[in-house]
Amino acid sequence: MNKETLVHISIAFALVSILVSMLYFIKYDRQITGFFRIGDVLPVSPFLSKSSIYINEGEVGYDGQQFLTIALDPALNNSESIRALDNPRYRYRRIMYPFLGYFIGFGKPIIVSYALVGINIFCIVSLVFLSSIFMMREKEATKKQKWLLPFLTLAITGIWVSLFLSTADLLGTTLFLGGLVILKQDKNAIAALCFGLACLTRETYLAVIIMFIILNLLESRWKSLLYNSAAIIPSLFWNIFVIINLSGGTTGIRENIGLPFVGVIEKIQSIILGGFFGKKIFESFCFFTLLAAAFLIIVSSFHNWNKNKTIYLSAFPFIALLILSKMQILNYHVNYLRVFVDIFMLNLLTSHESTFSIHKITLLSICGVGSLAYATNYIL
């Protein structure tokens, strides 16, 4: 590991440790379950005692509560675990994050809780590490860019949203980004493993890998085709297994996916009609930075396609999802900033390219202001 990368991950780890410590010791009074945004509307996991967990009164709870429930009973042997899930089919498909927490935590409830938070801490440091080694190997990147650009990973607000709410997005993005970086070194087998695990974390990555398979076919890259095809098999079988064996809930498609641009237009209308004051200003800021990031990655792909073909190709399923998203996803910044965190990360990986470099760096720097505001407001 070179000096620059060591500096990058050291600063990242220090910053994450400070923020997590402030939440753990001050806001949550040493109750690790505070990181899972547990509400008092839905039932809690049967493996948790209401008297010993941090509960947000009057709230339904957030995704972290759902992942913790699965992590405490990954086989869903207890019927009360299923009852505690708001949408069993939808939640259980994303098995990798809770299963990893269960595995690291030896199935012990309190250790599992710490393990899930620890995974996301590790993922943030890993994302900075991956960004660093990627930039170090890019000939087009200047020495200054190699030093500074990896730090912009920490400017992406969705990363902090996922950390503070203990969602699976960080793990999915880390595995996917790891696959992209490894793929640049022509290590197809390891990259396929990363992609396969990413698909088990979030099924959205299935669309990305299918795009890779189509590209492999068009370019007659049979070895890559074999590995990428193998990468999606475990997730496909797992999704089929879940649909067959869990009767409760839906796939989430009808609730989240609609006609092109309808959700985006509705969101813009709600911002305009809602007025630009207080929290609405921040909501507007977050949504328009997302639109800007999507626009930049699309436009720059036309100019730099051959430089980073795989990276640009992988952006299109996320852009398509954004275009098709309903207000269920777009209604609140904590939803869409973490769901589309990959769009920001892909902009970062291509921010060293001469075309649109200044635009991407400026956008990511502006996002840093949003991250600072979000973290400050959430912690205090």
Side-chain angles (χ1 to χ4, degrees), residues 39-114:
D40 60 359
V41 176
L42 292 172
V44 298
S45 166
F47 298 91
L48 294 173
S49 170
K50 278 193 173 183
S51 61
S52 62
I53 60 176
Y54 190 98
I55 295 180
N56 297 273
E57 296 181 0
E59 292 189 15
V60 176
Y62 203 64
D63 290 31
Q65 177 179 345
Q66 307 296 309
F67 286 120
L68 179 59
T69 297
I70 297 173
L72 295 173
D73 185 13
L76 296 182
N77 289 321
N78 192 315
S79 60
E80 292 299 306
S81 294
I82 300 176
R83 201 169 72 85
L85 298 175
D86 58 355
N87 190 340
R89 275 186 175 177
Y90 180 70
R91 301 297 181 183
Y92 200 47
R93 288 184 306 170
R94 303 179 171 187
I95 190 63
M96 194 65 220
Y97 177 54
F99 176 77
L100 194 57
Y102 175 85
F103 180 78
I104 295 174
F106 303 104
K108 306 296 182 182
I110 188 64
I111 304 177
V112 168
S113 302
Y114 280 98

Side-chain angles (χ1 to χ4, degrees), residues 15 36 40 42 66 96 100 165 240 283 295 353:
L15 177 60
F36 299 92
D40 60 359
L42 292 172
Q66 307 296 309
M96 194 65 220
L100 194 57
L165 300 177
I240 293 170
E283 189 67 35
F295 176 77
E353 297 170 345

